Amino acid sequence: MSLNCLFGARWLLEGSALDQNLLSGSFENAEARFVERFLQAGMTVLDIGAHHGFYTLLASMRVGRTGRVIAFEPSPRERIRLERHIRLNRCANVRIEQVALGASPGRRNYS
């Protein structure tokens, strides 16, 4: 089952806490409105810790075909849903990077 987000993206409902917050309309409304107002066509956006892609989708739609979004998500489990959302919404301007970003170098196994 899917849900249409306020900004026009389709979201796959799979029972997560985020899904429940989106269904109830209680997920970071002020933050999402700020991002919607701030982003403009042609911008490049970095979504660091993209998770399932809520802000990746929002950014993709706001920056349009002339912009781009680079979504960083190291967790294979979370990245699977992120990739599904990107395909579902045909976000050709999104690139997913399978790395974490942090203040110091290091490695972690996300298996």
Side-chain angles (χ1 to χ4, degrees):
M1 185 164 94
S2 68
L3 164 77
N4 286 329
C5 295
L6 293 176
F7 52 88
R10 292 176 58 208
W11 187 265
L12 296 170
L13 295 172
E14 296 180 7
S16 72
L18 173 56
D19 296 343
Q20 296 305 313
N21 285 331
L22 287 172
L23 270 173
S24 70
S26 63
F27 180 73
E28 299 184 4
N29 294 318
E31 293 87 345
R33 283 193 302 274
F34 169 78
V35 170
E36 273 189 295
R37 286 191 309 268
F38 181 78
L39 297 180
Q40 298 175 11
M43 286 181 152
T44 296
V45 176
L46 306 178
D47 187 357
I48 300 169
H51 195 248
H52 298 163
F54 178 83
Y55 286 104
T56 300
L57 295 176
L58 173 56
S60 173
M61 298 204 163
R62 293 296 297 154
V63 301
R65 292 184 305 198
T66 60
R68 65 184 178 150
V69 179
I70 305 167
F72 294 86
E73 182 49 61
S75 166
R77 183 186 69 195
E78 309 310 332
R79 200 171 49 251
I80 287 169
R81 259 189 102 187
L82 171 62
E83 290 167 347
R84 286 183 193 148
H85 284 130
I86 298 308
R87 279 193 309 273
L88 176 67
N89 289 281
R90 297 183 179 129
C91 298
N93 61 350
V94 174
R95 183 176 87 215
I96 299 172
E97 294 291 334
Q98 302 175 17
V99 297
L101 301 179
S104 59
R107 292 194 171 275
R108 180 165 178 187
N109 184 1
Y110 283 97
S111 26

